[in-house]
């Protein structure tokens, strides 16, 4: 079975594998602006959205020291495994009769590979990161709902202010509460200070 090669996050962010955290962050900000989907009309917008997903995925791993270290180790392991596969293919071409016979060495390396693919490896961490990025994409809808809720809250606040003003006007014209309203408005130091501000 051919193992799926990991994405090269350094190539996606267009940085050197030895780049510092600051360089990675700067590259990320530049690329996010460059590939913002709003800048791309029509069919190109989908390309930009996919590009942004890859950029976010790469940044989430490379900006986290722990994930970056795991990612670098996994890349090195895959690279050495790939070189080992090339060497194996070359040796198979030279060996005649024993090429189909499985050796203990091959079985051991296969078992080690299976162990490395268990939960807790970088592969599983990257899969989790991908899921989180997809959740962020889905959160656009949540942000839209939050925006609508915020608009409703603002409307409720405005209506509350109008109701309070109307109640104040009604209380002003009721003889029993007129004196209290005059005292509140004209003898209260806070209202006097506000009145002075507007009278200037």
């Amino acid at each position: 079975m051919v193992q799926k090669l990991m994405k090269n996050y350094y190539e996606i962010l267009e940085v050197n594998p030895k780049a510092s955290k600051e360089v990675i962050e700067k590259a990320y900000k530049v690329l996010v602006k460059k590939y913002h989907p709003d800048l791309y009309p029509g069919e190109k917008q989908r390309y930009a959205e996919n590009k942004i997903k890859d950029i976010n995925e790469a940044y989430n791993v490379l900006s986290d020291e722990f994930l970056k270290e795991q990612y670098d180790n996994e890349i090195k392991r895959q690279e050495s495994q790939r070189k080992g596969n090339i060497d194996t293919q070359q040796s198979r071409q030279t060996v005649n009769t024993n090429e189909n016979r499985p050796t203990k060495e091959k079985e051991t390396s296969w078992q080690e590979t299976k162990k490395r693919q268990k939960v807790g490896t970088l592969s599983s961490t990257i899969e989790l990161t991908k899921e989180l990025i997809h959740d962020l994409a889905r959160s656009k809808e949540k942000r839209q709902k939050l925006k609508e809720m915020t608009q409703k809250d603002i409307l409720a606040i405005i209506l509350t202010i109008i109701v309070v003003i109307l109640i104040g006007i009604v209380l002003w014209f009721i003889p029993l509460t007129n004196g209290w309203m005059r005292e509140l408005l004209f003898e209260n130091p806070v209202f006097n200070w506000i009145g002075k501000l507007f009278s200037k």
Side-chain angles (χ1 to χ4, degrees):
M1 188 178 86
V2 178
Q3 191 179 0
K4 187 181 176 184
L5 289 174
M6 294 171 65
K7 292 179 185 176
N8 191 324
Y9 291 149
Y10 295 105
E11 284 181 9
I12 290 170
L13 290 182
E14 299 175 12
V15 294
N16 189 293
K18 294 179 181 177
S20 66
K21 197 171 183 178
E22 291 78 19
V23 171
I24 289 169
E25 189 173 346
K26 189 174 180 181
Y28 167 74
K29 288 177 181 176
V30 169
L31 291 171
V32 164
K33 285 180 186 176
K34 182 179 177 183
Y35 292 105
H36 196 283
D38 292 346
L39 301 175
Y40 294 82
E43 289 296 317
K44 291 182 179 178
Q45 192 171 25
R46 181 168 282 179
Y47 164 78
E49 286 171 356
N50 290 333
K51 191 78 175 167
I52 285 289
K53 281 180 189 175
D54 285 345
I55 290 166
N56 284 331
E57 184 181 322
Y59 179 71
N60 285 338
V61 172
L62 297 184
S63 63
D64 185 290
E65 288 181 19
F66 176 72
L67 291 179
K68 183 179 184 294
E69 185 180 346
Q70 280 194 324
Y71 173 77
D72 289 341
N73 291 338
E74 189 71 13
I75 286 289
K76 286 175 187 173
R77 188 188 66 74
Q78 280 195 357
E79 186 64 28
S80 63
Q81 194 175 19
R82 190 181 63 83
K83 286 179 182 175
N85 288 342
I86 292 169
D87 293 342
T88 305
Q89 287 172 359
Q90 289 173 350
S91 64
R92 280 180 183 172
Q93 290 171 356
T94 55
V95 175
N96 294 325
T97 55
N98 294 331
E99 63 182 1
N100 293 327
R101 191 183 302 166
T103 62
K104 283 185 180 179
E105 189 178 279
K106 285 180 187 175
E107 287 173 7
T108 307
S109 65
W110 179 80
Q111 287 168 352
E112 285 174 3
T113 305
K114 290 300 283 180
K115 283 178 187 173
R116 284 178 185 146
Q117 289 173 349
K118 287 183 180 175
V119 177
T121 62
L122 181 61
S123 301
S124 63
T125 307
I126 289 170
E127 287 302 316
L128 179 64
T129 307
K130 284 181 186 176
E131 286 177 28
L132 288 171
I133 290 165
H134 291 305
D135 286 344
L136 285 173
R138 283 189 222 114
S139 70
K140 268 187 178 179
E141 296 169 9
K142 291 179 185 174
R143 281 199 298 270
Q144 184 64 30
K145 286 178 183 175
L146 186 65
K147 188 177 177 183
E148 289 170 9
M149 284 172 65
T150 307
Q151 289 171 347
K152 287 177 184 175
D153 290 344
I154 291 169
L155 185 62
I157 290 167
I158 292 168
L159 288 173
T160 305
I161 292 169
I162 291 169
V163 168
V164 168
I165 291 169
L166 288 173
I167 290 171
I169 291 169
V170 170
L171 290 174
W172 181 269
F173 288 104
I174 296 174
L176 290 172
T177 55
N178 183 272
W180 176 76
M181 288 296 290
R182 285 177 183 274
E183 187 180 314
L184 178 71
L185 291 173
F186 299 118
E187 294 178 19
N188 190 311
V190 175
F191 283 101
N192 286 339
W193 181 73
I194 293 170
K196 286 176 185 175
L197 282 177
F198 285 107
S199 63
K200 287 181 180 179

